[in-house]
Amino acid sequence: MSMAREVGKYHQTVKLRNGVLHLFANAEVLASLDRKVYKMADNNLRIPRNHFMSYTPDAHVSSGACVGTTAVWKMSDGFVSPSIVGSDIGCGIRVHLTPLHKRDLQDKKVRRKLIKRIEKYVPTKRIASPFRNIELERVVKEGIYGLPAEYLPERGDVSAVRSVTHLEHARFAYDMAALEILPERIWKQTGRELGTLGGGNHFIEIQHVRVDEGQRKIAEKWGLFDGQVVVMIHSGSRAWGRMLRSEYTNRIKDAMEMWGIGTRDPRLIYVPIHAEEGRWYLNLMYSALNYAVANRHMIAFGVRAAFQEVFGTDLEMPVLYDLMHNYALEETHRGQSMLVHRKGTTRALPAGHELNPEPYRATGHPALIPGSMGTASYIMVGAKSGEKNFYSICHGAGRIYARDAVREHVSVDAFAHSMNVGTEEEVVVNRWTLEHILTECPQAYKDVDQIIDSVVGAGLASVVAVCRPMAVVKG
Ligand code: 5GP
Ligand code: MN
Ligand code: MN
């Protein structure tokens, strides 16, 4: 590997054997990157006709391609790679506002009670969805539009309500014939999970807000204020996305073998966008994006019910925004139609950009960046100079330790300390002991402040508000 060349503050290019990798990181993050991420990028660059590839500072090794990858091909002759979308298709973050102040949750008992209520309305793992009247088929075909009207908190024209207008996407239109060749068992086995959180690092977190002075005007326009309680939700396409995986992986592997293409990493699968398999995968992916956004909406529906049980039925909890970090989207950049893969990166469009949903056209949309359950999370807004990274920014802090390695490096005591256990400020969790969620402790992740410094320094986005955790429900 040749040396990184600096092209701007916190923006390097690295010439690898098979192409060029852009890196957005400050010196400290850059020095800490595992060399394996370069190998992985080099292998990804073996996919022909790549137009652009980059890492955000939260980059770390994952199956076939790194989390933190933005990879772009032209729609006209490019490729789509399910490995550079990621396995939890449509995984993303949503934030809901409340009118509450952190004072209202100062008493630890109130935070405990809230968490209990959230667990009552939002099943975490393999418990069936409480929303039996939702039709899976309508949801994968129509996203939020496929939900019965009773689950929209607003009444009136569906296309005009906030639950639909303040999202990256409420519904993807696609060729639904793609669903016809799916085996019946997929429909049977995935039908009862809507509105459930899922395990791993999926979470519902109650946070309080501190507005950044530099962006107070935007924060006010978005409805954010100092001390405000907000709820951050992280979840994806649950069993629907997971079960599609074996279907498309098998079919694409067969096609790659037939065409005699591939790299030395069998987990990196890819196919021309315009091959039948490519179009089919994209259509399945859209179905999972529809599922994921509807799933986060239904989780929020349960969270709202929990808050109303504690604070009264007139408490409103409007969505601030919902966006994804595992997907590939067709976008126009500099007049050209491109397929932009974002695997563990998230979009941050600047003010005025036409891809912003209408309510956020003037300011740019909120870009929602989780940190960890013991550190800050961020609400940001994209910058015009983010164009150099196709308006992608980090989607989180990014892991340092793989799940199975955390135990070797972090003690339960250190974890408890970072959660202020035993003090009035304790971040309350939905578990009796922290032992069971040690794999998700703050120490397992990079320092989110360094990641944010990298993104801001590189001119990709700026901070609108910092959110600190008060209570968290883990799946
Ligand atoms: P991923 O989508 O790659 O699985 O994770 C997204 C990001 O969520 C991680 O990089 C990490 O920074 C963040 N994260 C993981 N667990 C938590 C949590 O409990 N609370 C918050 N606020 N962030 C978390
Ligand atoms: Mn996920
Ligand atoms: Mn995720």
Side-chain angles (χ1 to χ4, degrees), residues 201 203 205 234 325 370-373 377 395-398 440 445 474:
N201 62 357
F203 62 83
E205 192 168 280
H234 176 211
H325 52 237
S372 79
M373 62 172 108
S377 294
H395 85 306
E440 296 306 323
Y445 291 97
K474 277 293 201 186

Side-chain angles (χ1 to χ4, degrees), residues 104-119:
D104 302 318
L105 273 66
Q106 206 161 28
D107 185 347
K108 240 195 283 189
K109 285 197 277 299
V110 176
R111 302 205 288 282
R112 287 234 164 80
K113 189 165 154 192
L114 254 178
I115 284 213
K116 283 251 151 54
R117 294 294 188 281
I118 290 175
E119 283 196 304

Side-chain angles (χ1 to χ4, degrees), residues 20 52 144 175 180 255 287-288 308 348 368 430:
V20 172
F52 177 83
I144 307 264
D175 181 0
E180 279 161 21
S287 79
Q308 290 184 339
L368 314 167
N430 63 326

Side-chain angles (χ1 to χ4, degrees), residues 58-297:
D58 51 333
H60 59 93
V61 166
S62 179
S63 177
C66 288
V67 167
T69 302
T70 301
V72 183
W73 280 266
K74 283 187 195 153
M75 277 306 293
S76 55
D77 63 359
F79 285 75
V80 56
S81 169
S83 314
I84 321 182
V85 165
S87 57
D88 189 7
I89 300 172
C91 193
I93 303 279
R94 147 187 299 251
V95 167
H96 281 253
L97 306 174
T98 80
L100 301 169
H101 191 274
K102 70 175 182 206
R103 279 188 305 269
D104 302 318
L105 273 66
Q106 206 161 28
D107 185 347
K108 240 195 283 189
K109 285 197 277 299
V110 176
R111 302 205 288 282
R112 287 234 164 80
K113 189 165 154 192
L114 254 178
I115 284 213
K116 283 251 151 54
R117 294 294 188 281
I118 290 175
E119 283 196 304
K120 172 174 153 194
Y121 289 106
V122 187
T124 45
K125 276 197 182 139
R126 286 193 189 86
I127 311 157
S129 163
F131 310 111
R132 297 295 166 78
N133 59 344
I134 297 179
E135 288 172 49
L136 173 65
E137 188 175 341
R138 287 206 57 199
V139 166
V140 297
K141 289 184 169 172
E142 298 173 60
I144 307 264
Y145 286 84
L147 296 170
E150 67 192 274
Y151 297 124
L152 293 176
E154 313 97 334
R155 297 286 163 256
D157 174 10
V158 174
S159 65
V161 298
R162 188 173 171 118
S163 293
V164 165
T165 55
H166 286 57
L167 313 177
E168 187 172 47
H169 284 282
R171 160 173 65 188
F172 283 88
Y174 61 97
D175 181 0
M176 291 163 195
L179 303 176
E180 279 161 21
I181 55 173
L182 292 175
E184 195 54 35
R185 78 190 145 78
I186 291 195
W187 295 99
K188 287 219 176 80
Q189 290 176 14
T190 60
R192 296 179 56 206
E193 279 195 344
L194 225 97
T196 65
L197 185 61
N201 62 357
H202 293 153
F203 62 83
I204 299 164
E205 192 168 280
I206 301 169
Q207 306 168 338
H208 64 85
V209 167
R210 189 176 51 74
V211 170
D212 190 280
E213 276 320 316
Q215 298 285 16
R216 190 164 284 280
K217 274 212 180 100
I218 288 188
E220 278 170 8
K221 270 193 196 143
W222 290 355
L224 294 167
F225 59 87
D226 285 317
Q228 182 178 24
V229 173
V230 297
V231 181
M232 183 175 267
I233 295 167
H234 176 211
S235 189
S237 51
R238 309 287 288 112
W240 179 259
R242 201 167 56 237
M243 298 211 35
L244 292 181
R245 186 172 165 199
S246 52
E247 299 301 313
Y248 63 72
T249 302
N250 291 338
R251 189 164 172 203
I252 290 178
K253 274 196 167 154
D254 286 349
M256 288 173 71
E257 206 176 298
M258 196 173 73
W259 298 324
I261 63 170
T263 67
R264 62 173 87 91
D265 182 355
R267 292 168 310 173
L268 179 67
I269 59 170
Y270 56 95
V271 61
I273 295 169
H274 294 293
E276 200 185 316
E277 293 80 0
R279 288 198 308 270
W280 179 67
Y281 169 75
L282 281 172
N283 286 320
L284 291 187
M285 184 198 72
Y286 292 135
S287 79
L289 299 184
N290 281 341
Y291 186 104
V293 70
N295 191 49
R296 284 189 295 274
H297 175 95

